[in-house]
C-alpha cells in the first residue's frame, strides 16, 4: 500500500468524489467521518491536522481506498516538547474510512506509517470501529515497545458511561416503529404527538434558512442554562464552537432543528445531525426552559424527529454517546466505542525529535513561554525547531535574543550570524549580531555589522549611535567627527562648510553687520 498525507484544504477538496465512494462502501463509516462534515470541521480547525490516504500504488490516477483523519497536539513541558497524535472528526465518534475488502492490508499500513512519525502518545479517543479493525491497528504497537491503556469513559459526576451509545434501527413505517415500544411508551408518544398535530396551544416549528439563527440562539440559551454550572469557564468557548459548527453544518444540509412552542413561547429545541448518505439521524444537542411546567419537551422532540426520519426513509436514529436511561425508552439497541492511549516506553517522542508539522505551534508556545520569563522551556522549544529546521529565521532570532539575555554571547553570535546568512535583508539580525560582538569586545567586527544595519535602515539613529560607540572603543575619533559632519552637512549646506573651515556662517555675519550699523 502507498500512503499519502493530505494536509491542506485544497487537497481535501479534490478528494470529495473519491472519499464519498469509499464512505458509501464502508458499513462502519458514520457522519463524523463523512467528507462534508470533515471539510467543514477542518476549515475552522486550529493546529495541524493531516489525513493518511491509502492506495494500491503511487500512480496519480489510482483512487484511494482508505482515509485516516488525525491531528497533532503539541505541549512544551518538563524541559522537552511532546507530541500527541489524536483522532480528528468529533467529540462523539472517530475512526477510519476504508473499503472493507482491503482493510487487512490498509490498516496495518496506516499503523506502520504512524510508527515512523515523531510522537509520545497516540490517543484513539471515541473510536467507533469493529473489534476486527481495532485488532489490526493495535497489533502493530506491541506492548514490548508501547504502553497501551484503556480509558475509563464513565463520568465521575453522574455515572453516565460514555462508551455506551444507544441507537434505534428504524423500520419503514411509523406504526411499525411504535409497535417495538412498550405499551406505556407507545400510548404516551401517540398522545403527545396528537397534541402537536392538533395545532392547538402546543406546536413544533422546524428551522428554515430564515429562522435558523434565532432557533439556534434559543437552543444554545437553554443548553447553556442547563450546563453552565458543570462546564464552568469552558462554557463560553463551547457555546461559540457549537454555534459555529451547527451553523456551517446547517448550511451544508446536515442539521435538523425542531423547536417546541407553547403558544408564542419557545420552551425547547433539539439539534440532530443528518447524514443523507448513510440515512441516519444523530441526536447532537437539546435544551429546554427549565421553568416550563407542561408536557415532556424532550420526549416530544425526539418522537417528532424519529417520525420525520422514518417519513424520509432513514434507517437509524443514533442517540450518540451516553447511556442515559431515557434513551432506552425509545427502543434502543446499543453499540460500544472505546478510548485507547498508546505511549512510548521512555515517554519521549519517537525518534527523539519533533514533527515538522508542529513547528508553527512549537514556535508560538516557545515565544509565549519566553514572554512569560520561562526561559528553560522556551529554550527547549527553540532548540527542537532548529534540530529539524536549522535555518528557521524566527527560531534563530528569538533563541539568539534568549541567549543574549542569559549572557551566552558566543552561542548567540553563532545564531545571529546564521540568521544574517539566511536573511541578509533582516535589519534586526545585523543589529543583534553587532550588539553581541560588542559584548564580546569584538569592536571591529561589531562595527561592520552596524554599518550594514545603517545601510539597510539609514533613517534610524540607532545605527549612528552604535557605529559611534564602536569607533570610540577603537579610538577612531577623527572618523567620528567626519561621520557626524557628513551626516549633518546635507541639511546645513554652505554654512557647515564655512564653519568647518573657520569662517563665519551667513547668519552670524549678518548679525554682526547689523550690530555695527547701530553703533
Amino acid at each position: 500500500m502507498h500512503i499519502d498525507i493530505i494536509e491542506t484544504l485544497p487537497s481535501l477538496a479534490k478528494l470529495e468524489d473519491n472519499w464519498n465512494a469509499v464512505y458509501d462502501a464502508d458499513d462502519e463509516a458514520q457522519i463524523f467521518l463523512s467528507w462534508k462534515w470533515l471539510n467543514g470541521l477542518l476549515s475552522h480547525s486550529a493546529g495541524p491536522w493531516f489525513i493518511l490516504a491509502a492506495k494500491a500504488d503511487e500512480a496519480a490516477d489510482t483512487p484511494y481506498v482508505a482515509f485516516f483523519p488525525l491531528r497533532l497536539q503539541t505541549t512544551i513541558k518538563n524541559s522537552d516538547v511532546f507530541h500527541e497524535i489524536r483522532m480528528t472528526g468529533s467529540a462523539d465518534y472517530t475512526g477510519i474510512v476504508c473499503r472493507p475488502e482491503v482493510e487487512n492490508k490498509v490498516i496495518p499500513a496506516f499503523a506502520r506509517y504512524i510508527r515512523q512519525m515523531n510522537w509520545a502518545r497516540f490517543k484513539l479517543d471515541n473510536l467507533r470501529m469493529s473489534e476486527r479493525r481495532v485488532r489490526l491497528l493495535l497489533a502493530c504497537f506491541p506492548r514490548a515497545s508501547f504502553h497501551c491503556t484503556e480509558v475509563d469513559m464513565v463520568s465521575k459526576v453522574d455515572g453516565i458511561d460514555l462508551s455506551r451509545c444507544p441507537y434505534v434501527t428504524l423500520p419503514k413505517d411509523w406504526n411499525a416503529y411504535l409497535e417495538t415500544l412498550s405499551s406505556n411508551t407507545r400510548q404516551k408518544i401517540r398522545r403527545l404527538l396528537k397534541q402537536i398535530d392538533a395545532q392547538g396551544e402546543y406546536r413544533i416549528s422546524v428551522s428554515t434558512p430564515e429562522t435558523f439563527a434565532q432557533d439556534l440562539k434559543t437552543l444554545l440559551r437553554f443548553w447553556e442554562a442547563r450546563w453552565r454550572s458543570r462546564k464552568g469557564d469552558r462554557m463560553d468557548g463551547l457555546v461559540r464552537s457549537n454555534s459555529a459548527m451547527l451553523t456551517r453544518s446547517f448550511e451544508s444540509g446536515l442539521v435538523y432543528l425542531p423547536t417546541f412552542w407553547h403558544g408564542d413561547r419557545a420552551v425547547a429545541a433539539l439539534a440532530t445531525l443528518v447524514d443523507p448518505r448513510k440515512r441516519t439521524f444523530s441526536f447532537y444537542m437539546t435544551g429546554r426552559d427549565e421553568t416550563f411546567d407542561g408536557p415532556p419537551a424532550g420526549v416530544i422532540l425526539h418522537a417528532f424527529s424519529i417520525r420525520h426520519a422514518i417519513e424520509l426513509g432513514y434507517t437509524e436514529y443514533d442517540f450518540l454517546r451516553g447511556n442515559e436511561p431515557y434513551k432506552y425508552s425509545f427502543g434502543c439497541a446499543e453499540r460500544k466505542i472505546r478510548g485507547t492511549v498508546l505511549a512510548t516506553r521512555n515517554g519521549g517522542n519517537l525518534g527523539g525529535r519533533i514533527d515538522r508539522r508542529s513547528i508553527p505551534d512549537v514556535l508560538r508556545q516557545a515565544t509565549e513561554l519566553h514572554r512569560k520569563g520561562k526561559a528553560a522551556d522556551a529554550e527547549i522549544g527553540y532548540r527542537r525547531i532548529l534540530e529539524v529546521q536549522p535555518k528557521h529565521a524566527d527560531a534563530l532570532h528569538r533563541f539568539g535574543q534568549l541567549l543574549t539575555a542569559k549572557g551566552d554571547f558566543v552561542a548567540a553570535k553563532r545564531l545571529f550570524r546564521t540568521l544574517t546568512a539566511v536573511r541578509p535583508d533582516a535589519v534586526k539580525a545585523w543589529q543583534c549580531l553587532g550588539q553581541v560582538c560588542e559584548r564580546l569586545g569584538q569592536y571591529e567586527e561589531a562595527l561592520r555589522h552596524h554599518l550594514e544595519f545603517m545601510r539597510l535602515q539609514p533613517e534610524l539613529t540607532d545605527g549612528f549611535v552604535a557605529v559611534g560607540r564602536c569607533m570610540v572603543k577603537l579610538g577612531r575619533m577623527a572618523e567620528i567627527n567626519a561621520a557626524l559632519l557628513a551626516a549633518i552637512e546635507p541639511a546645513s549646506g554652505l554654512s557647515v562648510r564655512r564653519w568647518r573651515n573657520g569662517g563665519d556662517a551667513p547668519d552670524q555675519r549678518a548679525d554682526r553687520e547689523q550690530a555695527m550699523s547701530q553703533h
Side-chain angles (χ1 to χ4, degrees):
M1 281 288 166
H2 174 74
I3 308 293
D4 286 330
I5 289 191
I6 311 301
E7 50 191 344
T8 67
L9 290 172
S11 298
L12 179 60
K14 294 177 182 177
L15 294 177
E16 181 175 6
D17 291 341
N18 188 170
W19 192 297
N20 287 338
V22 178
Y23 183 81
D24 292 345
D26 185 2
D27 58 3
E28 295 192 27
Q30 33 75 25
I31 187 169
F32 301 112
L33 291 174
S34 66
W35 182 91
K36 189 174 283 189
W37 171 270
L38 283 168
N39 185 61
L41 178 74
L42 298 176
S43 297
H44 297 81
S45 289
W49 57 267
F50 57 99
I51 297 170
L52 303 185
K55 57 183 180 179
D57 54 57
E58 297 184 39
D61 58 349
T62 301
Y64 293 106
V65 295
F67 303 98
F68 196 177
L70 300 166
R71 58 192 172 99
L72 192 67
Q73 185 171 306
T74 300
T75 305
I76 301 177
K77 62 179 181 180
N78 301 329
S79 299
D80 210 345
V81 180
F82 300 94
H83 291 321
E84 181 175 88
I85 294 179
R86 306 191 72 172
M87 309 293 282
T88 291
S90 159
D92 289 279
Y93 296 153
T94 63
I96 293 172
V97 186
C98 181
R99 287 190 175 277
E101 67 272 16
V102 295
E103 64 182 28
N104 289 339
K105 294 181 179 179
V106 165
I107 294 176
F110 280 153
R112 288 191 295 270
Y113 193 96
I114 291 168
R115 283 194 60 174
Q116 296 171 15
M117 300 174 67
N118 309 108
W119 50 271
R121 282 163 50 98
F122 182 17
K123 191 172 183 181
L124 300 155
D125 44 351
N126 302 327
L127 192 63
R128 180 178 153 182
M129 189 184 292
S130 65
E131 285 299 315
R132 179 182 67 257
R133 288 187 178 183
V134 170
R135 286 195 298 270
L136 285 169
L137 183 64
L138 296 183
C140 297
F141 300 94
R143 293 183 183 273
S145 303
F146 298 92
H147 293 288
C148 183
T149 306
E150 294 301 314
V151 178
D152 181 6
M153 300 179 69
V154 177
S155 170
K156 293 180 174 57
V157 176
D158 53 20
I160 298 300
D161 187 347
L162 297 175
S163 72
R164 295 169 63 184
C165 307
Y167 69 96
V168 180
T169 299
L170 301 177
K172 295 181 179 180
D173 178 75
W174 170 243
N175 287 321
Y177 165 70
L178 291 176
E179 290 300 319
T180 66
L181 308 179
S182 70
S183 60
N184 287 339
T185 301
R186 180 166 60 250
Q187 292 171 15
K188 181 179 181 180
I189 288 176
R190 280 177 170 158
R191 183 179 71 254
L192 292 172
L193 290 186
K194 186 175 181 179
Q195 295 182 60
I196 300 300
D197 295 338
Q199 290 292 304
E201 61 177 324
Y202 300 114
R203 62 187 174 90
I204 289 179
S205 66
V206 177
S207 288
T208 66
E210 293 73 30
T211 67
F212 178 78
Q214 183 57 49
D215 294 339
L216 178 59
K217 185 176 179 181
T218 299
L219 167 62
L220 292 173
R221 174 165 54 86
F222 291 153
W223 182 79
E224 179 181 0
R226 171 68 177 84
W227 296 105
R228 179 170 282 281
S229 61
R230 182 182 297 188
K231 306 293 184 182
D233 294 340
R234 296 187 297 135
M235 177 54 74
D236 291 340
L238 290 170
V239 169
R240 286 194 300 271
S241 62
N242 277 305
S243 177
M245 181 277 291
L246 288 169
T247 297
R248 65 174 177 265
S249 297
F250 181 81
E251 292 170 350
S252 298
L254 299 179
V255 172
Y256 180 68
L257 199 164
T259 301
F260 176 47
W261 299 78
H262 181 208
D264 294 330
R265 174 189 177 190
V267 294
L270 183 149
T272 302
L273 301 176
V274 179
D275 184 357
R277 306 194 75 90
K278 291 297 183 181
R279 314 300 293 170
T280 62
F281 269 38
S282 298
F283 160 55
Y284 184 77
M285 173 187 288
T286 189
R288 65 185 179 89
D289 185 343
E290 299 288 340
T291 66
F292 175 67
D293 185 20
V299 174
I300 291 171
L301 286 170
H302 278 298
F304 185 87
S305 297
I306 290 172
R307 185 174 69 176
H308 181 66
I310 291 173
E311 289 170 352
L312 294 178
Y314 280 55
T315 59
E316 182 177 284
Y317 190 89
D318 192 342
F319 282 90
L320 298 182
R321 298 183 303 147
N323 63 336
E324 293 91 336
Y326 80 87
K327 296 178 179 179
Y328 295 87
S329 66
F330 290 94
C332 291
E334 186 181 271
R335 61 170 59 94
K336 291 273 288 183
I337 61 174
R338 64 188 295 165
T340 301
V341 178
L342 296 164
T344 58
R345 284 286 175 181
N346 65 3
N349 293 336
L350 291 173
R353 53 191 350 180
I354 65 170
D355 190 298
R356 286 179 175 271
R357 296 174 194 81
S358 73
I359 287 176
D361 198 25
V362 175
L363 181 68
R364 178 188 59 78
Q365 291 188 45
T367 302
E368 182 64 15
L369 291 165
H370 191 173
R371 186 186 66 79
K372 291 179 178 179
K374 298 180 179 180
D377 284 337
E379 178 173 342
I380 194 64
Y382 296 140
R383 287 188 183 278
R384 289 289 185 247
I385 292 171
L386 294 174
E387 285 173 358
V388 299
Q389 196 168 323
K391 296 182 179 180
H392 191 284
D394 287 333
L396 287 167
H397 187 195
R398 295 172 199 180
F399 189 20
Q401 290 179 315
L402 186 151
L403 291 175
T404 300
K406 285 178 60 176
D408 190 349
F409 304 122
V410 173
K413 178 182 175 181
R414 286 197 297 269
L415 294 171
F416 289 131
R417 185 184 292 280
T418 301
L419 180 56
T420 57
V422 172
R423 292 280 305 278
D425 59 339
V427 175
K428 191 70 175 175
W430 291 103
Q431 184 182 42
C432 291
L433 182 54
Q435 289 170 347
V436 294
C437 285
E438 285 188 70
R439 296 293 189 91
L440 291 167
Q442 300 168 351
Y443 298 109
E444 277 292 353
E445 185 176 351
L447 178 59
R448 293 197 301 273
H449 301 320
H450 287 314
L451 287 170
E452 182 62 17
F453 170 75
M454 285 179 60
R455 185 186 71 79
L456 292 169
Q457 203 80 61
E459 69 277 9
L460 293 183
T461 59
D462 291 3
F464 289 97
V465 173
V467 167
R469 192 169 58 237
C470 289
M471 285 185 167
V472 168
K473 292 290 185 179
L474 292 168
R476 295 162 63 173
M477 300 304 297
E479 292 179 64
I480 294 176
N481 291 333
L484 290 171
L485 290 172
I488 296 170
E489 190 168 328
S492 304
L494 179 62
S495 62
V496 172
R497 287 195 295 274
R498 287 184 175 177
W499 169 77
R500 184 180 60 194
N501 293 330
D504 291 335
D507 55 344
Q508 293 173 320
R509 185 169 63 252
D511 290 343
R512 187 172 62 251
E513 290 175 351
Q514 182 178 2
M516 291 176 64
S517 68
Q518 292 174 351
H519 290 288

